[in-house]
Amino acid sequence: MFARFQAGSIRRQIAALAVGPVICLVMLGVISELLLRDDLESVSYARTTALKIETVVDQVRASTSAEQRAAILDATSGTGLRVEQVSAAELLKQADTDISFEDVRHLVKNNLPASFATAFRAKTSAGKLHDVLVVGVGDDRALAFLPAPPPPDAWISDQQVSIVLQLMGLVLPVVLLSLYAARVIAAPLLEFAQAAETLKPDDGPDRPFNEGGVAEIRTLAKSLNDMRSRVRSMIDDRTRMLRAISHDLRTPLTRLRLRAERSTQPELKAALLNDISALSDMINDTLSYLSKEMAAEKPVNADLPSLLTTVCSDFSDVGFNVRYVGPERFAYRCKPRSLARAITNLVENSTKFAHEISVELSILGNGSLRICVIDDGPGLPVSLRTRVLEPFFKADTARTSTDRGGFGLGLSIVDDIVRAHGGTIELLNRAPQGLAAQMDFPTEGHAASGAAPKRTTGHVGCAV
């Protein structure tokens, strides 16, 4: 529980630590008030009733005629405190009822002056009132009082309203301050996280993190921006170094090719030219990976079936079994040269390990696009399906080839091109053998072609 709390949001932690103790105090106060409420109300009612009785007794003692006494008693009964005049002998009789200390008559008696003679009676001699408190007013007179029942509990009393207002005056500022503090701290951190998710290592502003706010947030933003600058500098240095090496290697490779062409030994000449061609392909892959040509290309509406058919024809013309499967026409907004390069890299990779390759285009039900390059090669282990998309990684142990290899940049270039189009790529093994490179592209790139696209009959994706 505590571990989950520590791993939770900073905003929630601050709010919980600030508001939690206040809420606990409020709850304790409410519970104690509820427990003592009935006792306090009973005591207050008993005091009020005792004060009324004391006033009536004083008025009766001060009266000079029976008419005055009758008027006083009538007025008192009209207030809800019923009273009748009885003989003083009621005070001398033995109590004919037992009452508890919680009885309102007992509470009233405890609040009367000690000089007042009192007694409890189940009923008076006249029999008009029952369960009364008899109070003496002279040598021959007494008054029997029947206190009115306590008033029903109100939904909320004035005292409770006062307590609620005081608590609001205490809790509300604490809540507002805690929420403000949480926002001041959490909001910049969330902005940093969003900026980091969309940040590209070699593109975008030099200082993407806003260096504003409180001192600690400014320090953190400055540190992140400085780190960003150092990372970009390292990437730029690496890129310049690789470009320089790749360009400088072209000159000696050209000299080697000229010398190999002059060789009089056919076998040695073929081997040298084969190695030189492999080195040249590696250099071209490196330069393509480091170039900004893809980023500079503008999206246009292109006929994807025509583009994919052209790529397949280029490989078929040199003897590879590559075919296109899909609709005859479909317009899609994309970067055609980059997309053609990605499909070419996938097909070329398949030609090294498989005999039959197909490039399949499917229009999914939600309008998104799927391109699959499927071969009948040995496939890939699950542990390597994502690693082969990393730059300079080669899965030689998974799909061995007798042909020459490269720097391991072909699939990395494909991944960059697909992501630049807002799509995703996934490598899936087929049954009983083979590999399917499945690329899904979003609907946003779709451009209306004037007619509904012709879908491939019975085909909605890569067969695995």
Side-chain angles (χ1 to χ4, degrees), residues 154-155 157 210 221 266 365 406:
W155 178 73
S157 64
N210 182 20

Side-chain angles (χ1 to χ4, degrees), residues 338-360:
S338 299
L339 192 57
R341 175 60 186 271
I343 304 301
T344 300
N345 284 4
L346 289 173
V347 174
E348 183 178 6
N349 188 69
S350 294
T351 59
K352 300 175 183 178
F353 309 100
H355 300 288
E356 295 185 0
I357 302 120
S358 63
V359 179
E360 301 184 359

Side-chain angles (χ1 to χ4, degrees), residues 147-450:
D153 295 339
W155 178 73
I156 187 170
S157 64
D158 294 340
Q159 184 180 7
Q160 291 173 330
V161 171
S162 177
I163 292 175
V164 169
L165 292 177
Q166 292 176 6
L167 291 177
M168 287 182 61
L170 172 65
V171 175
L172 190 59
V174 174
V175 172
L176 294 178
L177 288 175
S178 63
L179 293 178
Y180 172 75
R183 179 173 178 79
V184 168
I185 296 175
L189 295 180
L190 293 176
E191 292 178 0
F192 290 169
Q194 293 173 357
E197 289 178 356
T198 59
L199 191 63
K200 296 181 179 180
D202 56 352
D203 195 9
D206 290 333
R207 306 185 74 81
F209 301 100
N210 182 20
E211 299 181 12
V214 297
E216 291 80 2
I217 297 298
R218 293 198 305 270
T219 302
L220 176 61
K222 184 178 183 302
S223 300
L224 291 175
N225 285 329
D226 292 342
M227 181 180 66
R228 156 75 167 167
S229 299
R230 290 194 296 270
V231 170
R232 171 171 284 188
S233 177
M234 292 171 59
I235 293 176
D236 291 342
D237 291 342
R238 184 208 64 176
T239 302
R240 284 193 295 270
M241 178 189 68
L242 290 176
R243 283 179 176 172
I245 293 175
S246 299
H247 281 290
D248 291 344
L249 285 176
R250 288 182 180 275
T251 301
L253 281 177
T254 302
R255 290 197 298 264
L256 285 175
R257 183 182 297 276
L258 293 175
R259 292 170 182 172
E261 293 288 351
R262 299 192 190 103
S263 175
T264 58
Q265 303 179 30
E267 295 182 358
L268 178 62
K269 177 181 178 181
L272 288 174
L273 291 177
N274 188 50
D275 291 340
I276 293 172
S277 179
L279 289 174
S280 180
D281 290 342
M282 293 180 185
I283 293 174
N284 292 333
D285 286 345
T286 303
L287 292 177
S288 297
Y289 180 74
L290 298 176
S291 69
K292 301 296 182 181
E293 180 182 355
M294 182 185 65
E297 185 180 358
K298 301 298 181 182
V300 297
N301 290 339
D303 183 41
L304 281 185
S306 175
L307 184 148
L308 299 178
T309 302
T310 301
V311 173
C312 294
S313 299
D314 291 341
F315 284 93
S316 298
D317 292 343
V318 293
F320 293 106
N321 187 6
V322 182
R323 62 191 180 95
Y324 165 74
V325 179
E328 296 178 0
R329 294 184 62 81
F330 181 70
Y332 190 79
R333 189 169 183 81
C334 63
K335 300 178 179 180
R337 289 198 306 273
S338 299
L339 192 57
R341 175 60 186 271
I343 304 301
T344 300
N345 284 4
L346 289 173
V347 174
E348 183 178 6
N349 188 69
S350 294
T351 59
K352 300 175 183 178
F353 309 100
H355 300 288
E356 295 185 0
I357 302 120
S358 63
V359 179
E360 301 184 359
L361 172 63
S362 305
I363 315 304
L364 304 183
N366 58 0
S368 59
L369 183 72
R370 175 172 292 174
I371 301 176
C372 294
V373 177
I374 303 174
D375 64 45
D376 60 349
L380 277 173
V382 177
S383 59
L384 297 180
R385 291 182 190 173
T386 56
R387 294 196 62 190
V388 293
L389 300 177
E390 299 174 0
F392 305 107
F393 180 82
K394 298 173 65 176
D396 291 337
T397 57
R399 288 160 62 102
T400 57
S401 170
T402 56
D403 201 355
R404 60 182 180 270
F407 277 156
L409 293 174
L411 292 179
S412 299
I413 295 173
V414 174
D415 185 44
D416 289 344
I417 294 173
V418 172
R419 286 190 291 109
H421 284 80
T424 59
I425 181 172
E426 187 176 8
L427 302 179
L428 305 172
N429 283 334
R430 302 177 65 230
Q433 69 177 20
L435 184 72
Q438 177 177 294
M439 294 167 286
D440 290 335
F441 297 92
T443 310
E444 286 77 4
H446 180 260
S449 56

